[in-house]
Amino acid sequence: MNIFLHELKAYRKSTIIWTLSLSALVLVFMSLFPSISKEIDEFKKVLEAFPEPVRQALGIEINTMGSILGFYSYTFVYLTLCGTIQAMIIGISIISKEVREKTADFLLTKPVTRSKIVTSKILAAIISLLITNVIFIAVASLVVSQVKTEDYSVTLFFMISITLLFMQLIFLSLGIVISVVFPKIKSVMAVSLGTVFSFFFIGMFASTTGEGAKRYLSPFKYFDTASIIENGSYELSFIIAGITIIIVSLVVSYIIYAKKDIHGV
Protein backbone atom coordinates (compact mmCIF):
# COMPACT_ATOMS: atom_id res chain seq x y z
CA MET A 1 0.00 0.00 0.00
CA ASN A 2 1.54 3.30 -1.12
CA ILE A 3 0.31 5.75 1.49
CA PHE A 4 1.69 8.76 -0.36
CA LEU A 5 -0.21 8.02 -3.59
CA HIS A 6 -3.34 7.09 -1.64
CA GLU A 7 -3.32 10.39 0.24
CA LEU A 8 -2.51 12.37 -2.89
CA LYS A 9 -5.52 10.81 -4.59
CA ALA A 10 -7.66 11.52 -1.54
CA TYR A 11 -6.79 15.25 -1.70
CA ARG A 12 -7.28 15.44 -5.46
CA LYS A 13 -10.85 16.72 -5.42
CA SER A 14 -10.28 19.32 -2.70
CA THR A 15 -7.07 20.47 -4.40
CA ILE A 16 -8.94 21.06 -7.65
CA ILE A 17 -11.74 22.94 -5.86
CA TRP A 18 -9.42 25.18 -3.86
CA THR A 19 -7.19 25.86 -6.86
CA LEU A 20 -10.14 26.87 -9.02
CA SER A 21 -11.57 28.97 -6.19
CA LEU A 22 -8.33 30.90 -5.64
CA SER A 23 -7.88 31.38 -9.38
CA ALA A 24 -11.44 32.67 -9.70
CA LEU A 25 -10.97 35.04 -6.76
CA VAL A 26 -7.81 36.62 -8.15
CA LEU A 27 -9.57 36.99 -11.51
CA VAL A 28 -12.54 38.76 -9.89
CA PHE A 29 -10.39 40.97 -7.67
CA MET A 30 -7.94 42.07 -10.35
CA SER A 31 -10.67 42.66 -12.93
CA LEU A 32 -11.69 45.61 -10.75
CA PHE A 33 -8.30 47.29 -11.06
CA PRO A 34 -8.74 49.02 -14.46
CA SER A 35 -11.88 50.80 -13.24
CA ILE A 36 -10.32 51.73 -9.91
CA SER A 37 -7.10 53.00 -11.51
CA LYS A 38 -9.10 55.36 -13.74
CA GLU A 39 -10.84 56.87 -10.72
CA ILE A 40 -7.96 56.45 -8.29
CA ASP A 41 -8.13 60.03 -6.95
CA GLU A 42 -11.79 59.64 -5.99
CA PHE A 43 -11.11 56.17 -4.67
CA LYS A 44 -8.33 57.50 -2.44
CA LYS A 45 -10.67 60.13 -1.03
CA VAL A 46 -13.09 57.38 -0.07
CA LEU A 47 -10.31 55.42 1.61
CA GLU A 48 -9.05 58.49 3.45
CA ALA A 49 -12.46 58.78 5.08
CA PHE A 50 -11.77 55.53 6.92
CA PRO A 51 -10.10 55.94 10.33
CA GLU A 52 -6.39 55.13 10.29
CA PRO A 53 -6.77 52.06 12.60
CA VAL A 54 -9.40 50.63 10.24
CA ARG A 55 -7.13 51.09 7.21
CA GLN A 56 -4.27 49.44 9.09
CA ALA A 57 -6.47 46.52 10.14
CA LEU A 58 -7.64 45.97 6.56
CA GLY A 59 -4.14 46.35 5.13
CA ILE A 60 -5.04 49.37 3.02
CA GLU A 61 -2.06 51.39 1.76
CA ILE A 62 -3.49 54.50 0.13
CA ASN A 63 -0.22 55.57 -1.49
CA THR A 64 0.22 52.30 -3.40
CA MET A 65 -3.42 51.42 -4.08
CA GLY A 66 -3.22 52.99 -7.54
CA SER A 67 -0.39 50.71 -8.67
CA ILE A 68 -0.98 47.18 -9.91
CA LEU A 69 1.25 45.64 -7.23
CA GLY A 70 -0.27 47.81 -4.51
CA PHE A 71 -3.78 46.74 -5.44
CA TYR A 72 -2.70 43.12 -5.83
CA SER A 73 -1.04 43.12 -2.41
CA TYR A 74 -4.27 44.42 -0.85
CA THR A 75 -6.41 41.70 -2.41
CA PHE A 76 -3.70 39.17 -1.60
CA VAL A 77 -4.59 39.45 2.09
CA TYR A 78 -7.92 37.77 1.40
CA LEU A 79 -6.45 35.29 -1.07
CA THR A 80 -4.04 34.25 1.68
CA LEU A 81 -6.93 33.88 4.10
CA CYS A 82 -8.60 31.40 1.74
CA GLY A 83 -5.34 29.56 1.06
CA THR A 84 -4.59 29.10 4.74
CA ILE A 85 -8.05 27.65 5.30
CA GLN A 86 -7.24 25.05 2.64
CA ALA A 87 -3.96 24.19 4.36
CA MET A 88 -5.53 24.08 7.81
CA ILE A 89 -8.26 21.70 6.67
CA ILE A 90 -5.68 19.36 5.15
CA GLY A 91 -3.47 19.57 8.22
CA ILE A 92 -6.22 18.81 10.69
CA SER A 93 -7.76 16.01 8.64
CA ILE A 94 -4.45 14.39 7.73
CA ILE A 95 -4.26 12.30 10.89
CA SER A 96 -7.64 12.70 12.55
CA LYS A 97 -9.53 11.27 9.57
CA GLU A 98 -8.13 7.81 10.39
CA VAL A 99 -9.92 7.98 13.74
CA ARG A 100 -13.12 9.53 12.34
CA GLU A 101 -13.35 6.98 9.53
CA LYS A 102 -12.28 4.13 11.86
CA THR A 103 -9.36 3.10 9.67
CA ALA A 104 -6.57 3.71 12.18
CA ASP A 105 -6.40 0.08 13.31
CA PHE A 106 -6.22 -1.13 9.71
CA LEU A 107 -3.47 1.35 8.83
CA LEU A 108 -1.33 0.71 11.91
CA THR A 109 -1.38 -3.07 11.46
CA LYS A 110 0.44 -2.72 8.14
CA PRO A 111 4.21 -3.31 8.02
CA VAL A 112 5.05 0.38 8.04
CA THR A 113 6.37 2.60 10.78
CA ARG A 114 4.35 5.43 12.23
CA SER A 115 6.97 7.95 11.17
CA LYS A 116 6.65 6.76 7.57
CA ILE A 117 2.88 7.11 7.78
CA VAL A 118 3.16 10.70 8.94
CA THR A 119 5.90 11.50 6.42
CA SER A 120 3.88 10.09 3.52
CA LYS A 121 0.81 12.06 4.56
CA ILE A 122 2.79 15.29 4.96
CA LEU A 123 4.48 14.90 1.58
CA ALA A 124 1.13 14.31 -0.10
CA ALA A 125 -0.27 17.42 1.58
CA ILE A 126 2.73 19.52 0.51
CA ILE A 127 2.46 18.32 -3.09
CA SER A 128 -1.23 19.26 -3.09
CA LEU A 129 -0.37 22.76 -1.85
CA LEU A 130 2.44 23.08 -4.40
CA ILE A 131 0.03 22.22 -7.21
CA THR A 132 -2.39 24.86 -5.95
CA ASN A 133 0.35 27.49 -5.79
CA VAL A 134 1.85 26.76 -9.20
CA ILE A 135 -1.52 27.09 -10.91
CA PHE A 136 -2.58 30.07 -8.80
CA ILE A 137 0.60 32.03 -9.50
CA ALA A 138 0.36 31.22 -13.21
CA VAL A 139 -3.24 32.45 -13.35
CA ALA A 140 -2.49 35.52 -11.21
CA SER A 141 0.48 36.40 -13.40
CA LEU A 142 -1.62 36.14 -16.55
CA VAL A 143 -4.45 38.23 -15.08
CA VAL A 144 -2.14 40.93 -13.72
CA SER A 145 -0.31 41.21 -17.04
CA GLN A 146 -3.65 41.71 -18.79
CA VAL A 147 -5.13 44.37 -16.48
CA LYS A 148 -1.94 46.34 -15.76
CA THR A 149 -1.92 50.02 -16.68
CA GLU A 150 1.86 50.34 -16.40
CA ASP A 151 4.93 48.14 -16.13
CA TYR A 152 5.54 46.36 -12.84
CA SER A 153 8.29 44.29 -11.25
CA VAL A 154 7.75 40.61 -11.96
CA THR A 155 10.22 39.81 -9.19
CA LEU A 156 8.18 41.71 -6.59
CA PHE A 157 5.00 40.10 -7.90
CA PHE A 158 6.52 36.65 -7.41
CA MET A 159 7.88 37.56 -3.97
CA ILE A 160 4.41 38.55 -2.84
CA SER A 161 2.70 35.57 -4.45
CA ILE A 162 5.04 32.90 -3.08
CA THR A 163 4.29 33.98 0.48
CA LEU A 164 0.98 32.15 0.07
CA LEU A 165 2.84 28.83 0.02
CA PHE A 166 4.89 29.74 3.07
CA MET A 167 1.74 30.76 4.96
CA GLN A 168 0.06 27.52 3.94
CA LEU A 169 3.00 25.49 5.24
CA ILE A 170 2.73 27.26 8.60
CA PHE A 171 -0.98 26.49 8.94
CA LEU A 172 -0.52 22.99 7.57
CA SER A 173 1.98 22.25 10.35
CA LEU A 174 -0.32 23.82 12.96
CA GLY A 175 -3.19 21.71 11.66
CA ILE A 176 -1.10 18.54 11.85
CA VAL A 177 -0.11 19.09 15.46
CA ILE A 178 -3.74 19.80 16.34
CA SER A 179 -4.84 16.59 14.62
CA VAL A 180 -2.26 14.59 16.56
CA VAL A 181 -3.07 16.13 19.94
CA PHE A 182 -6.85 16.00 19.36
CA PRO A 183 -7.43 13.05 16.97
CA LYS A 184 -11.17 12.78 17.69
CA ILE A 185 -12.09 16.08 16.06
CA LYS A 186 -15.67 15.81 14.83
CA SER A 187 -15.82 18.90 12.66
CA VAL A 188 -12.63 19.66 10.74
CA MET A 189 -14.20 22.67 9.03
CA ALA A 190 -15.30 24.30 12.29
CA VAL A 191 -11.89 23.90 13.93
CA SER A 192 -10.08 25.04 10.79
CA LEU A 193 -12.17 28.15 10.34
CA GLY A 194 -12.02 28.96 14.05
CA THR A 195 -8.23 28.67 14.15
CA VAL A 196 -7.54 30.58 10.94
CA PHE A 197 -9.94 33.42 11.67
CA SER A 198 -8.62 33.72 15.23
CA PHE A 199 -5.11 34.31 13.92
CA PHE A 200 -6.49 36.63 11.24
CA PHE A 201 -8.27 38.84 13.76
CA ILE A 202 -5.24 38.79 16.06
CA GLY A 203 -3.24 40.06 13.09
CA MET A 204 -5.78 42.83 12.48
CA PHE A 205 -5.55 43.85 16.14
CA ALA A 206 -1.75 43.85 15.97
CA SER A 207 -1.92 46.20 12.98
CA THR A 208 -4.06 48.73 14.83
CA THR A 209 -1.76 48.92 17.85
CA GLY A 210 1.33 49.75 15.82
CA GLU A 211 3.50 47.56 18.04
CA GLY A 212 5.84 45.43 15.93
CA ALA A 213 6.31 42.76 18.59
CA LYS A 214 2.62 41.81 18.44
CA ARG A 215 3.06 40.82 14.78
CA TYR A 216 4.73 37.64 15.99
CA LEU A 217 1.39 36.52 17.46
CA SER A 218 -0.15 36.05 14.02
CA PRO A 219 1.44 34.44 10.94
CA PHE A 220 -0.77 36.72 8.83
CA LYS A 221 1.56 39.58 9.75
CA TYR A 222 4.82 37.80 8.96
CA PHE A 223 4.84 39.12 5.39
CA ASP A 224 4.27 42.84 5.04
CA THR A 225 3.51 43.31 1.35
CA ALA A 226 4.08 47.07 1.61
CA SER A 227 7.56 46.38 2.96
CA ILE A 228 8.21 43.83 0.20
CA ILE A 229 7.24 46.38 -2.47
CA GLU A 230 9.29 49.15 -0.87
CA ASN A 231 12.41 47.19 0.07
CA GLY A 232 12.32 44.23 -2.29
CA SER A 233 13.01 41.82 0.57
CA TYR A 234 11.40 39.88 3.40
CA GLU A 235 11.84 40.58 7.09
CA LEU A 236 14.31 37.94 8.30
CA SER A 237 13.04 37.77 11.88
CA PHE A 238 9.56 36.81 10.70
CA ILE A 239 10.93 34.25 8.25
CA ILE A 240 12.77 32.65 11.16
CA ALA A 241 9.61 32.76 13.29
CA GLY A 242 7.61 31.01 10.56
CA ILE A 243 10.23 28.32 10.01
CA THR A 244 10.41 27.77 13.77
CA ILE A 245 6.64 27.23 13.96
CA ILE A 246 6.80 24.71 11.12
CA ILE A 247 9.73 22.75 12.54
CA VAL A 248 8.48 22.71 16.14
CA SER A 249 4.95 21.71 15.08
CA LEU A 250 6.17 18.85 12.90
CA VAL A 251 8.68 17.56 15.46
CA VAL A 252 6.04 17.60 18.20
CA SER A 253 3.61 15.83 15.85
CA TYR A 254 6.10 13.04 15.09
CA ILE A 255 6.92 12.55 18.76
CA ILE A 256 3.31 12.46 19.94
CA TYR A 257 2.09 10.24 17.10
CA ALA A 258 4.92 7.75 17.68
CA LYS A 259 4.06 7.32 21.35
CA LYS A 260 0.32 7.89 21.51
CA ASP A 261 -2.25 5.09 21.72
CA ILE A 262 -4.46 5.46 18.66
CA HIS A 263 -7.78 3.72 18.47
CA GLY A 264 -9.79 3.22 15.35
CA VAL A 265 -13.13 3.34 17.12
Side-chain angles (χ1 to χ4, degrees), residues 125-149:
I126 291 175
I127 293 299
S128 296
L129 295 180
L130 282 173
I131 292 172
T132 295
N133 277 267
V134 169
I135 297 176
F136 166 75
I137 292 177
V139 172
S141 178
L142 177 61
V143 173
V144 168
S145 66
Q146 293 299 311
V147 302
K148 68 176 183 178
T149 55

mmCIF file of all heavy atoms in Angstrom, residues 125-149:
data_model
loop_
_atom_site.group_PDB
_atom_site.id
_atom_site.type_symbol
_atom_site.label_atom_id
_atom_site.label_comp_id
_atom_site.label_asym_id
_atom_site.label_seq_id
_atom_site.Cartn_x
_atom_site.Cartn_y
_atom_site.Cartn_z
ATOM 1 N N ALA A 125 0.355 16.124 1.308
ATOM 2 C CA ALA A 125 -0.268 17.421 1.577
ATOM 3 C C ALA A 125 0.541 18.550 0.952
ATOM 4 O O ALA A 125 -0.016 19.479 0.345
ATOM 5 C CB ALA A 125 -0.382 17.636 3.081
ATOM 6 N N ILE A 126 1.863 18.481 1.074
ATOM 7 C CA ILE A 126 2.731 19.520 0.509
ATOM 8 C C ILE A 126 2.631 19.550 -1.010
ATOM 9 O O ILE A 126 2.564 20.633 -1.618
ATOM 10 C CB ILE A 126 4.192 19.297 0.948
ATOM 11 C CG1 ILE A 126 4.338 19.561 2.454
ATOM 12 C CG2 ILE A 126 5.140 20.211 0.163
ATOM 13 C CD1 ILE A 126 5.716 19.252 3.000
ATOM 14 N N ILE A 127 2.601 18.377 -1.630
ATOM 15 C CA ILE A 127 2.460 18.322 -3.091
ATOM 16 C C ILE A 127 1.144 18.952 -3.522
ATOM 17 O O ILE A 127 1.083 19.690 -4.515
ATOM 18 C CB ILE A 127 2.546 16.864 -3.592
ATOM 19 C CG1 ILE A 127 3.947 16.299 -3.378
ATOM 20 C CG2 ILE A 127 2.174 16.786 -5.071
ATOM 21 C CD1 ILE A 127 5.040 17.044 -4.117
ATOM 22 N N SER A 128 0.084 18.684 -2.787
ATOM 23 C CA SER A 128 -1.227 19.264 -3.093
ATOM 24 C C SER A 128 -1.171 20.789 -3.024
ATOM 25 O O SER A 128 -1.706 21.489 -3.905
ATOM 26 C CB SER A 128 -2.284 18.737 -2.124
ATOM 27 O OG SER A 128 -2.460 17.346 -2.259
ATOM 28 N N LEU A 129 -0.501 21.308 -1.998
ATOM 29 C CA LEU A 129 -0.373 22.759 -1.854
ATOM 30 C C LEU A 129 0.515 23.351 -2.948
ATOM 31 O O LEU A 129 0.256 24.451 -3.447
ATOM 32 C CB LEU A 129 0.185 23.104 -0.477
ATOM 33 C CG LEU A 129 -0.703 22.739 0.724
ATOM 34 C CD1 LEU A 129 -0.028 23.131 2.029
ATOM 35 C CD2 LEU A 129 -2.075 23.419 0.605
ATOM 36 N N LEU A 130 1.557 22.620 -3.325
ATOM 37 C CA LEU A 130 2.438 23.079 -4.396
ATOM 38 C C LEU A 130 1.676 23.187 -5.715
ATOM 39 O O LEU A 130 1.851 24.152 -6.470
ATOM 40 C CB LEU A 130 3.624 22.130 -4.551
ATOM 41 C CG LEU A 130 4.752 22.270 -3.532
ATOM 42 C CD1 LEU A 130 5.772 21.141 -3.712
ATOM 43 C CD2 LEU A 130 5.444 23.630 -3.674
ATOM 44 N N ILE A 131 0.839 22.199 -5.995
ATOM 45 C CA ILE A 131 0.029 22.220 -7.214
ATOM 46 C C ILE A 131 -0.878 23.445 -7.217
ATOM 47 O O ILE A 131 -0.995 24.161 -8.221
ATOM 48 C CB ILE A 131 -0.806 20.932 -7.338
ATOM 49 C CG1 ILE A 131 0.112 19.733 -7.590
ATOM 50 C CG2 ILE A 131 -1.833 21.060 -8.460
ATOM 51 C CD1 ILE A 131 -0.593 18.387 -7.540
ATOM 52 N N THR A 132 -1.513 23.697 -6.080
ATOM 53 C CA THR A 132 -2.393 24.862 -5.948
ATOM 54 C C THR A 132 -1.628 26.146 -6.225
ATOM 55 O O THR A 132 -2.093 27.025 -6.962
ATOM 56 C CB THR A 132 -3.008 24.926 -4.543
ATOM 57 O OG1 THR A 132 -3.865 23.802 -4.340
ATOM 58 C CG2 THR A 132 -3.824 26.202 -4.357
ATOM 59 N N ASN A 133 -0.429 26.266 -5.646
ATOM 60 C CA ASN A 133 0.350 27.491 -5.788
ATOM 61 C C ASN A 133 0.872 27.704 -7.195
ATOM 62 O O ASN A 133 0.874 28.830 -7.701
ATOM 63 C CB ASN A 133 1.508 27.486 -4.786
ATOM 64 C CG ASN A 133 1.097 27.953 -3.417
ATOM 65 O OD1 ASN A 133 1.203 29.128 -3.085
ATOM 66 N ND2 ASN A 133 0.593 27.029 -2.597
ATOM 67 N N VAL A 134 1.339 26.642 -7.832
ATOM 68 C CA VAL A 134 1.852 26.765 -9.202
ATOM 69 C C VAL A 134 0.760 27.275 -10.135
ATOM 70 O O VAL A 134 0.971 28.215 -10.919
ATOM 71 C CB VAL A 134 2.406 25.414 -9.703
ATOM 72 C CG1 VAL A 134 2.673 25.476 -11.199
ATOM 73 C CG2 VAL A 134 3.684 25.061 -8.962
ATOM 74 N N ILE A 135 -0.413 26.676 -10.048
ATOM 75 C CA ILE A 135 -1.521 27.087 -10.913
ATOM 76 C C ILE A 135 -2.008 28.481 -10.547
ATOM 77 O O ILE A 135 -2.270 29.325 -11.426
ATOM 78 C CB ILE A 135 -2.671 26.069 -10.834
ATOM 79 C CG1 ILE A 135 -2.200 24.711 -11.366
ATOM 80 C CG2 ILE A 135 -3.884 26.559 -11.625
ATOM 81 C CD1 ILE A 135 -3.230 23.608 -11.247
ATOM 82 N N PHE A 136 -2.113 28.749 -9.242
ATOM 83 C CA PHE A 136 -2.577 30.068 -8.800
ATOM 84 C C PHE A 136 -1.650 31.175 -9.286
ATOM 85 O O PHE A 136 -2.108 32.198 -9.827
ATOM 86 C CB PHE A 136 -2.672 30.122 -7.276
ATOM 87 C CG PHE A 136 -2.807 31.520 -6.743
ATOM 88 C CD1 PHE A 136 -4.010 32.198 -6.839
ATOM 89 C CD2 PHE A 136 -1.723 32.169 -6.170
ATOM 90 C CE1 PHE A 136 -4.132 33.504 -6.377
ATOM 91 C CE2 PHE A 136 -1.832 33.468 -5.700
ATOM 92 C CZ PHE A 136 -3.039 34.130 -5.805
ATOM 93 N N ILE A 137 -0.351 30.993 -9.092
ATOM 94 C CA ILE A 137 0.603 32.026 -9.499
ATOM 95 C C ILE A 137 0.582 32.217 -11.013
ATOM 96 O O ILE A 137 0.681 33.342 -11.517
ATOM 97 C CB ILE A 137 2.023 31.672 -9.014
ATOM 98 C CG1 ILE A 137 2.087 31.746 -7.480
ATOM 99 C CG2 ILE A 137 3.054 32.624 -9.622
ATOM 100 C CD1 ILE A 137 3.427 31.340 -6.898
ATOM 101 N N ALA A 138 0.421 31.127 -11.756
ATOM 102 C CA ALA A 138 0.355 31.221 -13.212
ATOM 103 C C ALA A 138 -0.873 32.026 -13.642
ATOM 104 O O ALA A 138 -0.788 32.906 -14.512
ATOM 105 C CB ALA A 138 0.313 29.825 -13.825
ATOM 106 N N VAL A 139 -2.007 31.727 -13.028
ATOM 107 C CA VAL A 139 -3.244 32.449 -13.351
ATOM 108 C C VAL A 139 -3.136 33.913 -12.935
ATOM 109 O O VAL A 139 -3.495 34.821 -13.693
ATOM 110 C CB VAL A 139 -4.455 31.788 -12.665
ATOM 111 C CG1 VAL A 139 -5.710 32.650 -12.833
ATOM 112 C CG2 VAL A 139 -4.693 30.394 -13.231
ATOM 113 N N ALA A 140 -2.635 34.146 -11.712
ATOM 114 C CA ALA A 140 -2.493 35.517 -11.209
ATOM 115 C C ALA A 140 -1.570 36.331 -12.099
ATOM 116 O O ALA A 140 -1.841 37.502 -12.411
ATOM 117 C CB ALA A 140 -1.970 35.493 -9.776
ATOM 118 N N SER A 141 -0.473 35.718 -12.530
ATOM 119 C CA SER A 141 0.476 36.405 -13.399
ATOM 120 C C SER A 141 -0.168 36.795 -14.723
ATOM 121 O O SER A 141 0.033 37.907 -15.236
ATOM 122 C CB SER A 141 1.692 35.506 -13.653
ATOM 123 O OG SER A 141 2.609 36.123 -14.520
ATOM 124 N N LEU A 142 -0.947 35.876 -15.279
ATOM 125 C CA LEU A 142 -1.625 36.139 -16.547
ATOM 126 C C LEU A 142 -2.643 37.270 -16.395
ATOM 127 O O LEU A 142 -2.707 38.185 -17.224
ATOM 128 C CB LEU A 142 -2.323 34.868 -17.033
ATOM 129 C CG LEU A 142 -3.137 34.990 -18.326
ATOM 130 C CD1 LEU A 142 -2.225 35.396 -19.483
ATOM 131 C CD2 LEU A 142 -3.842 33.679 -18.638
ATOM 132 N N VAL A 143 -3.416 37.214 -15.312
ATOM 133 C CA VAL A 143 -4.448 38.235 -15.083
ATOM 134 C C VAL A 143 -3.821 39.607 -14.864
ATOM 135 O O VAL A 143 -4.258 40.602 -15.450
ATOM 136 C CB VAL A 143 -5.328 37.848 -13.878
ATOM 137 C CG1 VAL A 143 -6.291 38.988 -13.529
ATOM 138 C CG2 VAL A 143 -6.109 36.573 -14.163
ATOM 139 N N VAL A 144 -2.800 39.651 -14.018
ATOM 140 C CA VAL A 144 -2.139 40.926 -13.722
ATOM 141 C C VAL A 144 -1.530 41.537 -14.985
ATOM 142 O O VAL A 144 -1.609 42.744 -15.218
ATOM 143 C CB VAL A 144 -1.043 40.734 -12.639
ATOM 144 C CG1 VAL A 144 -0.163 41.975 -12.529
ATOM 145 C CG2 VAL A 144 -1.691 40.430 -11.291
ATOM 146 N N SER A 145 -0.925 40.707 -15.806
ATOM 147 C CA SER A 145 -0.311 41.213 -17.041
ATOM 148 C C SER A 145 -1.357 41.763 -18.008
ATOM 149 O O SER A 145 -1.053 42.627 -18.833
ATOM 150 C CB SER A 145 0.494 40.106 -17.724
ATOM 151 O OG SER A 145 -0.354 39.059 -18.181
ATOM 152 N N GLN A 146 -2.590 41.261 -17.897
ATOM 153 C CA GLN A 146 -3.652 41.709 -18.795
ATOM 154 C C GLN A 146 -4.324 42.999 -18.328
ATOM 155 O O GLN A 146 -4.778 43.804 -19.149
ATOM 156 C CB GLN A 146 -4.716 40.607 -18.941
ATOM 157 C CG GLN A 146 -4.232 39.369 -19.667
ATOM 158 C CD GLN A 146 -3.777 39.652 -21.083
ATOM 159 O OE1 GLN A 146 -4.482 40.305 -21.855
ATOM 160 N NE2 GLN A 146 -2.591 39.177 -21.432
ATOM 161 N N VAL A 147 -4.411 43.198 -17.006
ATOM 162 C CA VAL A 147 -5.129 44.369 -16.478
ATOM 163 C C VAL A 147 -4.196 45.506 -16.087
ATOM 164 O O VAL A 147 -4.664 46.587 -15.708
ATOM 165 C CB VAL A 147 -5.990 43.980 -15.257
ATOM 166 C CG1 VAL A 147 -6.981 42.892 -15.630
ATOM 167 C CG2 VAL A 147 -5.119 43.541 -14.081
ATOM 168 N N LYS A 148 -2.891 45.312 -16.169
ATOM 169 C CA LYS A 148 -1.940 46.344 -15.760
ATOM 170 C C LYS A 148 -2.115 47.605 -16.600
ATOM 171 O O LYS A 148 -2.492 47.558 -17.781
ATOM 172 C CB LYS A 148 -0.513 45.827 -15.904
ATOM 173 C CG LYS A 148 -0.080 45.616 -17.353
ATOM 174 C CD LYS A 148 1.381 45.199 -17.439
ATOM 175 C CE LYS A 148 1.798 45.068 -18.919
ATOM 176 N NZ LYS A 148 3.210 44.717 -19.073
ATOM 177 N N THR A 149 -1.862 48.733 -15.979
ATOM 178 C CA THR A 149 -1.920 50.015 -16.679
ATOM 179 C C THR A 149 -0.521 50.587 -16.872
ATOM 180 O O THR A 149 -0.357 51.611 -17.530
ATOM 181 C CB THR A 149 -2.775 51.014 -15.893
ATOM 182 O OG1 THR A 149 -2.259 51.130 -14.562
ATOM 183 C CG2 THR A 149 -4.228 50.546 -15.833
#
